[in-house]
Amino acid sequence: MQAIIDILKNNNSFIVVAHEKPDGDAIGSVTGLTAFLNDNGKKATALLVDDIPTKFEDIISCPLTRMISANEINSADILIILDSARSSRINLPSNINIDEIKIPIVNIDHHIDNNVNGTVNYINSAAGATAEIIADLAKKMEVSNHWIVSRNCAEMLYLGIVTDTGSFKFTNTTCNTFQAAAYLLSKGVDINKINNAAYFSKALNQLLFEAEMINNHLKCDFDGRYAHAIIPQSLFDKYQFNMKDGETVIEYLREINTAVIAALLYPKDSAVKVSLRSKNSAYPVGPIARKFNGGGHEMAAGITFENKSFEEVDKLLYDAIKEVLEKNEI
Ligand SMILES: [Mn+2]
């Protein structure tokens, strides 16, 4: 972490980016770190190419850059990549390959399987969120370098922590997570504003979409221990619903009392996307995702299947999950 502190101190211009299809942690860590740098006399750009979930649009107070050229990136001093486990998932504009980046790269993440080859890499899989790592970094620099941590910066980092830990409910929540959150609260975070945006801002069309998904598409197998749903394109069309707002749709499956593993299958362009969640660390979904070239955490992971039908993907997952549930039988 000291190497990163030296880089932040000794350079002037930064581009900050995260993974595609940004979630609360990607958005919170990017905008929080960007605000932190700008508040302390640096020139930082928050690069978020993909659309962000509608519910977060009103609370992001840092300007977002949606498009950039390789030349513009290379004219900055440092590229900072946050929360992005796979180099293929970094949310650069689609016409830019990571190999075209000639400036030093700082890679900060909490995914255990991070394969981004930065100039400096700080991977802490014990952190509940990348925003938790940035909060620790900001706290260190406040003490050792007298950098300021503004309320705006703190609120964005809090957003990252609260969303990636499911409001401190998931197993990735640690003593340090609470300490980082407490530190951010001491900077004046408006918890009500952040929680309203994260948890109480669902559009009616999403609620109707979710109700129909549960009624018509939910399946429970292995005595209810595996809850899964295939969401057809027609359902997205019917409710004009976009998965950029669907980070929490899978929660309904996970909430079922008998469920141990939950899977959501949905179309993305010509591919089938899979979200996986586990409720019990004896049955992790990280290895299942990695088996099919996906990634993520042990308890929350994702896969993209190209050139496969829903039925084929459903069967592959069914078999893989059967194996996990049987092998780890207690
Ligand atoms: Mn994260």
Side-chain angles (χ1 to χ4, degrees):
M1 193 172 262
Q2 188 55 46
I4 294 173
I5 291 174
D6 290 341
I7 288 171
L8 299 190
K9 270 184 353 196
N10 298 331
N11 291 277
N12 287 310
S13 58
F14 302 83
I15 311 282
V16 188
V17 70
H19 60 79
E20 60 190 9
K21 219 172 138 249
D23 58 8
D25 190 26
I27 295 161
S29 59
V30 164
T31 54
L33 179 57
T34 300
F36 182 56
L37 289 164
N38 285 328
D39 289 341
N40 290 285
K42 305 295 181 177
K43 185 179 177 302
T45 300
L47 178 62
L48 280 159
V49 174
D50 285 356
D51 287 340
I52 69 170
T54 313
K55 63 186 178 183
F56 297 138
E57 281 171 2
D58 290 341
I59 57 165
I60 305 299
S61 46
C62 153
L64 305 179
T65 294
R66 303 296 306 274
M67 200 33 84
I68 199 165
S69 69
N71 278 343
E72 284 172 289
I73 295 176
N74 285 326
S75 63
D77 296 329
I78 303 289
L79 175 66
I80 302 177
I81 300 172
L82 301 177
D83 200 42
S84 193
R86 319 305 297 169
S87 53
S88 57
R89 288 203 67 211
I90 302 167
N91 198 199
L92 295 170
S94 55
N95 61 339
I96 300 178
N97 190 296
I98 189 70
D99 300 334
E100 294 172 63
I101 305 304
K102 304 300 176 203
I103 57 175
I105 292 174
V106 173
N107 169 32
I108 302 174
D109 190 18
H110 68 133
H111 293 89
I112 199 165
D113 59 339
N114 184 292
N115 76 348
V116 176
N117 185 18
T119 317
V120 176
N121 301 282
Y122 182 86
I123 313 301
N124 178 3
S125 63
T130 297
E132 181 183 322
I133 302 173
I134 305 300
D136 289 345
L137 177 76
K139 187 177 181 181
K140 271 203 167 67
M141 292 189 75
E142 181 186 43
V143 174
S144 62
N145 304 93
H146 307 293
W147 278 36
I148 48 170
V149 180
S150 67
R151 179 165 103 168
N152 177 32
C153 163
E155 283 188 340
M156 293 301 97
L157 296 177
Y158 189 82
L159 170 69
I161 292 175
V162 83
T163 52
D164 250 24
T165 61
S167 292
F168 310 102
K169 291 194 298 280
F170 300 156
T171 55
N172 58 359
T173 305
T174 67
C175 176
N176 190 71
T177 311
F178 281 113
Q179 281 169 343
Y183 169 71
L184 297 173
L185 291 192
S186 78
K187 300 296 172 190
V189 170
D190 181 345
I191 296 188
N192 191 43
K193 179 176 84 177
I194 302 300
N195 283 334
N196 274 344
Y199 298 106
F200 307 117
S201 299
K202 191 176 284 188
L204 181 60
N205 71 319
Q206 176 168 353
L207 205 59
L208 295 169
F209 169 93
E210 289 167 340
E212 187 162 332
M213 173 195 78
I214 293 164
N215 263 322
N216 295 349
H217 303 284
L218 173 65
K219 286 192 283 184
C220 293
D221 285 308
F222 309 117
D223 299 323
R225 293 195 298 159
Y226 175 39
H228 54 127
I230 296 177
I231 313 179
Q233 184 60 46
S234 56
L235 195 62
F236 289 100
D237 297 342
K238 181 174 176 183
Y239 293 104
Q240 301 275 295
F241 182 67
N242 187 313
M243 272 308 272
K244 87 177 167 72
D245 294 320
E247 195 191 346
T248 57
V249 172
I250 197 168
E251 304 298 332
Y252 288 97
L253 279 56
R254 182 190 356 218
E255 276 173 15
I256 299 169
N257 60 349
T258 53
V260 177
I261 293 177
L264 205 59
L265 285 67
Y266 58 94
K268 174 81 193 294
D269 304 322
S270 61
V272 175
K273 286 271 200 186
V274 177
S275 293
L276 291 167
R277 297 289 183 275
S278 168
K279 251 161 65 177
N280 182 334
S281 55
Y283 306 95
V285 290
I288 298 171
R290 289 191 285 278
K291 177 175 174 171
F292 298 111
N293 296 317
H297 304 288
E298 295 310 276
M299 308 296 278
I303 316 168
T304 301
F305 287 92
E306 306 280 357
N307 306 314
K308 291 234 181 310
S309 69
F310 274 126
E311 291 68 29
E312 288 171 313
V313 173
D314 198 35
K315 178 81 171 68
L316 285 170
L317 285 174
Y318 183 93
D319 293 342
I321 283 158
K322 182 171 192 251
E323 202 177 305
V324 170
L325 289 175
E326 282 172 357
K327 186 165 67 186
N328 300 351
E329 203 95 51
I330 309 168

